[in-house]
Amino acid sequence: MDHGVLRETIRNLWEGDALAGLSEFVSIPALSPAFDGLWASNGHLHAAVEHVRKWLAARPVPGLTVEAVKLPGRTPVLLLEAPGTGSDGTTVIYGHLDKQPAAGEWSPGLDPWIPVLKDGRLYGRGAGDDGYAAYAAGAALEALHRAGGRYGRTVVLLETCEESGSPDLAAYLDHLRDRIGAVSLVICLDVAGGDYERLWLATSLRGIAFLDLTVRVLESGVHSGHSSGLVASSFRVVRQLLDRLEDSRTGEMLLPELRVDVPPDRLAEIREAVAEGGLRPELPMTPGVRLAADDPVELVLNNTWRTTLSVTGASGLPSLVDAGNVLRPYTGLKLSFRLPPTADAEVALSAIRTALTTDVPYGAQVSIERAAGAGGWNAPPLAPWLVSTLDKVSHEVFGRPWRAIGLGGTIPFLGLFARAYPDAQFVVTGPRGPGNNAHVPDEWLHLEQTARVTEAVAHILSQRP
């Protein structure tokens, strides 16, 4: 393989055809079904699939086929198949084409649906999460062909409901099982790393459990002068119930079902990454506010291997300007738990429900609605061939050693892939990093890092046994 041609092809694509295609993709408001109940009739998801299909089908790769697959009542997927020239087995490259909504006001000169190229970044919704994945996969295959590289059979699978929790993906994995075949390597292009200077692999993801908790003490509000001290505040009951779950001073979870032992290899990865100055969070901290811990290793563990509780919504609480001297009848909170990668989400959710509904203070009425959960993911050990390939790629492409970290978010499809392909190796990576603003205003994609990650993917494809 001519490494110079490989790099030049990828660079040219990300400065030209791939960048142009991704820019047009940004302009399609392909909201995930959770944010567009009329997605089927609105047609934006189908438009995104068709736009990317045409771009991928134009790649000059021998034997390449691209098809939009549509099961009745489900969001479509895009399936690319390239027969390859090398080993047996199949590599699956994953990405998704559905998007988050605008999520607020964007900065002057920026817009979620108008691509803007500025300072080496492409701004726009879906550029970094996760439209680039389709173009990176196509660019890697085209570059391998032009450079004379050998690679095994490769399938690119692009779904359109990831931002809704991938509810349709399992059905498609089952439907396409025979076409996809025996999978030996999964490359996922939908995560962020610790910086823009090296190749980052995600080796774990947290699970999630969430529910709506409502505590009611009165049928209707009562003047607080007439009722306080006679009836306990619903908010006080909520506080007592939450104290069963969490130490409010430290954030430590008190239920054993919400705690796990951190695997030694993951702890070693975290310490190694921290020692090299990686994992620097860029958060919009209010002046004077401190992080939850001083030790950076503890911060990473908090974010990747420990359960955290966040109150993400509330009801029964009037706005400050509208609040009067009333003992409110109820307090409702949306509770969101990020669970350790190896915790059982169903067991955790059951334990949470029991703690919140057993022996409730003052006999207050407790209701739990919309409770659900999803498991996390912990990567299998890397095979020797993959370790040596990553070492070589990192030196040649990035000039720095690769690093592995866990991520604090939840991506359900990785658990699906792990169950569907239990013998596969996993490379979970991407060009996103600190400050990239996925899911919030001013989303952007680091184009230089994207080209490097694309080149790394091409090398990994060429080295798969």
Side-chain angles (χ1 to χ4, degrees), residues 1-12 139-140 142-150 388-398 451-452 454-463:
M1 180 171 67
D2 189 322
H3 291 231
V5 170
L6 182 81
R7 177 169 294 181
E8 182 181 9
T9 300
I10 290 171
R11 295 281 171 172
N12 288 341
E142 179 175 342
L144 279 169
H145 169 62
R146 293 187 183 279
R150 295 178 59 83
S388 62
T389 298
L390 292 170
D391 289 342
K392 183 177 181 181
V393 164
S394 294
H395 174 71
E396 293 181 355
V397 178
F398 295 86
R452 288 193 292 258
T454 302
E455 186 177 350
V457 167
H459 280 284
I460 293 169
L461 291 175
S462 73
Q463 294 299 311

Side-chain angles (χ1 to χ4, degrees), residues 117-460:
L117 185 62
K118 180 181 178 182
D119 299 328
R121 301 173 175 181
L122 177 63
Y123 288 85
R125 181 62 85 222
D129 187 19
D130 186 42
Y132 78 86
Y135 299 91
L141 290 170
E142 179 175 342
L144 279 169
H145 169 62
R146 293 187 183 279
R150 295 178 59 83
Y151 57 95
R153 181 173 182 270
T154 302
V155 169
V156 180
L157 182 64
L158 304 167
E159 66 162 318
T160 58
C161 62
E162 192 275 342
E163 300 292 4
S164 302
S166 299
D168 296 337
L169 184 57
Y172 278 108
L173 291 181
D174 182 63
H175 177 69
L176 298 170
R177 180 184 293 112
D178 292 340
R179 287 183 63 177
I180 293 175
V183 176
S184 58
L185 175 64
V186 174
I187 300 176
C188 165
L189 297 174
D190 187 27
V191 296
D195 58 39
Y196 299 98
E197 300 170 357
R198 71 184 75 235
L199 181 66
W200 289 90
L201 265 62
T203 50
S204 67
L205 288 152
R206 288 192 293 184
I208 192 169
F210 50 87
L211 56 90
D212 295 349
L213 169 69
T214 301
V215 173
R216 181 177 289 274
V217 295
L218 294 167
E219 292 301 316
S220 61
V222 179
H223 191 296
S224 62
H226 298 160
S227 56
S228 61
L230 301 178
V231 178
S233 162
S234 61
F235 190 82
R236 178 150 64 96
V237 177
V238 168
R239 285 195 302 175
Q240 292 180 51
L241 293 176
L242 296 184
D243 282 344
R244 298 176 177 182
L245 308 177
E246 177 195 49
D247 183 334
S248 60
R249 296 177 300 106
T250 65
E252 180 182 358
M253 290 294 115
L254 303 178
L255 301 180
E257 294 85 354
L258 304 181
R259 300 194 300 263
V260 303
D261 293 328
V262 182
D265 57 339
R266 298 293 174 246
L267 184 57
E269 288 174 355
I270 292 170
R271 288 173 172 163
E272 190 173 51
V274 168
E276 293 196 3
L279 313 180
R280 300 182 296 272
E282 291 186 9
L283 302 172
M285 302 283 290
T286 299
V289 174
R290 301 188 303 275
L291 293 172
D294 296 325
D295 184 348
V297 172
E298 290 298 307
L299 287 174
V300 176
L301 288 171
N302 286 346
N303 185 244
T304 59
W305 277 92
R306 292 172 182 153
T307 298
T308 54
L309 166 60
S310 300
V311 176
T312 60
S315 64
L317 295 164
S319 66
L320 295 178
V321 296
D322 294 330
N325 296 321
V326 174
L327 184 67
R328 296 177 298 100
Y330 73 93
T331 297
L333 299 179
K334 166 73 77 174
L335 304 183
S336 175
F337 300 83
R338 292 291 180 174
L339 303 174
T342 55
D344 187 311
E346 291 186 7
V347 171
L349 190 57
S350 177
I352 293 167
R353 184 190 295 272
T354 298
L356 294 175
T357 58
T358 301
D359 192 22
V360 178
Y362 307 104
Q365 183 185 90
V366 172
S367 65
I368 292 177
E369 303 291 341
R370 299 196 300 173
W377 171 77
N378 188 35
L382 296 179
W385 75 265
L386 185 51
V387 174
S388 62
T389 298
L390 292 170
D391 289 342
K392 183 177 181 181
V393 164
S394 294
H395 174 71
E396 293 181 355
V397 178
F398 295 86
R400 295 173 180 268
W402 63 278
R403 288 292 175 255
I405 57 171
L407 298 180
T410 305
I411 306 180
F413 72 79
L414 275 171
L416 289 175
F417 274 66
R419 291 188 293 273
Y421 313 123
D423 299 323
Q425 289 284 286
F426 282 78
V427 174
V428 182
T429 188
R432 300 203 307 269
N436 70 82
N437 279 5
H439 293 196
V440 295
D442 298 357
E443 177 183 341
W444 51 268
L445 179 69
H446 192 294
L447 293 173
E448 175 65 24
Q449 182 74 342
T450 302
R452 288 193 292 258
V453 168
T454 302
E455 186 177 350
V457 167
H459 280 284
I460 293 169

Side-chain angles (χ1 to χ4, degrees), residues 39 69-76 168 171-172 175:
W39 64 268
V69 183
K70 304 172 185 177
L71 290 176
R74 298 189 182 275
T75 53
D168 296 337
Y172 278 108
H175 177 69

